Amino acid sequence: MMRINLNKTMANHLFHTFRLAWTVRISYVFFAVFLFSETIGAQEQLSKDEAIKQMLENNFGIKLAENQLKIADNNQSILNSGYLPSITGNAGAQYDQSDDIREFPGVFDENGDPRDDVVIEGAETQSYNAAVNVNYLLFDGLGRYYNYKQLQEQYNLTELQVRETIENTVLQLYSVYYDVARRSENLEVLKKALAISRDRVTRAQYQFDYGQNTKLEVLQAEVDVVTDSINVLNAKQDLINAKRDLNVVLNRELEVGFEVDTVVNFQNQLILESYIKDAPQNNVTLLQAEKSVTISDFQIKANKALFLPSIGLTGSYGWNRSNNPASAFFPGSISRGESLRLGASLTWSLFDGGRNIISLKNARILKDSEVLQRKQFELQIERDIANAAGNYANLLQIYRIREQNVETNENNLERSQERLKLGQISSIEFRQAQVNLINAETSKNFAKYDAKLAELELLRLTGQLLNIEF
């Protein structure tokens, strides 16, 4: 066994160094516990699919849009089409009580005496009636048909509007979700930088105790720890704020803690090109414009129907009963009756002062406007898709470059650490390498999520945002 003998001075010096180093370490440990106490506990893992699910269930904007869709669905019902007949029923009852005195002046009976007055007191008259009337529009120049088709197309248009609301909300959700992811990754980068700076303080203190460097190296390392600690605190607060923003989009408690998925996958380029090719058939704005043209066309046809005659059928069934009291000349009686009536009518507005003509002209102008707007949208969407595709390709390329730059700076930091240990570079040079790596990693995170959001915008414009799994 080899035994190491230390003199008293060296032992005291080593003890002092050991105690100082561990004092610094323990202070940093307590600082770290205080700084990250909120993130130590297990938190909900909020995946992208779960975020989408909660958004669809809770988001106010989507709920309001769905209510509009329900109204449009009610409007396209057969009950709102005019195809069903109208049936009305009515009934009545009447009661009358009266006193009647009949005088016969100048009238004598067979004995030559004046005829007595006839007095009827409390004579009651009762009458009852009930009827059912049916009206049915048999033909109205097909106006009813085209109005019904308009309501069906209006439902389809509202459905597309709901889809547009969902797409915009999904894009907003991903924007906030990826902002949380980016800030989470940036926080981890700054934590690693803080850990490196702490190790530098410990190492610099050792070297100072052994006379290998000056106190200035220790102070510089401690300054860097303070700077990195402040950066971590700011990044942590930014992350908390971003999580609150996401909770607002999901319509849940603001202080609910969670972690997000930082893995980002990009779509295959060939698939994206096929989406771009089929964009005119899938873009929600162009589909809405097409529905608006269709609705305008049906409105023209409905207005033309106003120039044609309308034929209607009517029918009714009635019942009545009357209880009549006795009178001066007739005894009391009861009468009952039933009736059945059928009829047809033809109505033709030959001239209404020109209002129908003006309505038809305005409907045609409206359709022309819808066609022009559709063409305008086609050109704008083509431009937007081209810009979005170019932005995505550019940002994706920047992200690849940023990735490579991170690897370069990681290698540079590793070599700088080795050279710092050997005393070949100063702490300032090492700090610069460390800062370069921090900037490279945060820039890479920016580039990654910027590229992903650009891809999502491209998918939205091509009408595929809701068809992709992330």
Side-chain angles (χ1 to χ4, degrees), residues 200 202-214 217 420-423:
R200 271 185 56 212
T202 303
R203 186 176 299 278
Q205 187 64 52
Y206 275 128
Q207 292 175 339
F208 173 73
D209 292 340
Y210 284 106
Q212 296 178 357
N213 62 18
T214 65
E217 295 291 333
L420 181 65
K421 294 176 184 178
L422 298 174

Side-chain angles (χ1 to χ4, degrees), residues 121-354:
E121 295 180 349
E124 296 181 350
T125 301
Q126 302 172 7
S127 62
Y128 309 93
N129 64 82
V132 177
N133 302 305
V134 179
N135 292 283
Y136 182 69
L137 183 61
L138 183 64
F139 178 77
D140 67 342
L142 296 179
R144 174 178 52 185
Y145 170 77
Y146 291 121
N147 287 331
Y148 184 51
K149 296 296 289 184
Q150 282 188 80
L151 293 174
Q152 290 180 319
E153 291 300 329
Q154 187 63 48
Y155 171 80
N156 295 333
L157 177 60
T158 306
E159 200 171 35
L160 290 171
Q161 291 170 346
V162 172
R163 173 186 153 186
E164 183 179 32
T165 299
I166 294 176
E167 285 183 352
N168 292 334
T169 309
V170 167
L171 198 61
Q172 178 190 8
L173 170 67
Y174 276 121
S175 177
V176 181
Y177 186 95
Y178 285 135
D179 185 51
V180 174
R182 177 180 62 81
R183 294 183 185 280
S184 298
E185 288 195 298
N186 287 347
L187 179 59
E188 293 302 318
V189 170
L190 295 174
K191 285 181 181 179
K192 289 191 296 182
L194 178 58
I196 294 173
S197 296
R198 289 184 196 143
D199 289 340
R200 271 185 56 212
V201 170
T202 303
R203 186 176 299 278
Q205 187 64 52
Y206 275 128
Q207 292 175 339
F208 173 73
D209 292 340
Y210 284 106
Q212 296 178 357
N213 62 18
T214 65
K215 186 64 176 179
L216 179 61
E217 295 291 333
V218 178
L219 294 175
Q220 288 175 339
E222 290 176 348
V223 168
D224 292 339
V225 168
V226 172
T227 300
D228 291 341
S229 299
I230 292 174
N231 291 338
V232 168
L233 283 172
N234 289 333
K236 183 180 178 184
Q237 185 59 48
D238 290 341
L239 177 59
I240 293 173
N241 294 342
K243 287 184 176 182
R244 289 196 185 104
D245 292 339
L246 183 54
N247 284 333
V248 168
V249 177
L250 299 179
N251 186 23
R252 62 181 193 171
E253 292 295 329
L254 294 180
E255 303 305 327
V256 173
F258 58 90
E259 300 295 334
V260 297
D261 183 8
T262 58
V263 176
V264 171
N265 298 313
F266 294 97
Q267 298 295 320
N268 182 277
Q269 187 61 36
L270 293 177
I271 295 177
L272 281 177
E273 290 176 0
S274 67
Y275 291 160
I276 293 173
K277 181 180 179 182
D278 297 334
Q281 290 78 40
N282 298 314
N283 179 271
V284 68
T285 301
L286 296 181
L287 292 176
Q288 289 182 71
E290 186 64 36
K291 290 298 178 185
S292 296
V293 172
T294 303
I295 292 173
S296 300
D297 188 53
F298 283 135
Q299 183 60 51
I300 292 175
K301 294 178 180 178
N303 286 332
K304 287 181 178 179
L306 297 175
F307 294 96
L308 299 176
S310 61
I311 301 173
L313 300 177
T314 60
S316 66
Y317 169 78
W319 171 88
N320 63 79
R321 174 190 173 99
S322 179
N323 300 333
N324 300 306
S327 66
F329 302 102
F330 301 100
S333 65
I334 298 176
S335 65
R336 293 186 296 268
E338 295 181 0
S339 64
L340 177 64
R341 295 185 179 88
L342 298 175
S345 64
L346 184 146
T347 304
W348 196 342
S349 177
L350 299 178
F351 185 70
D352 66 344

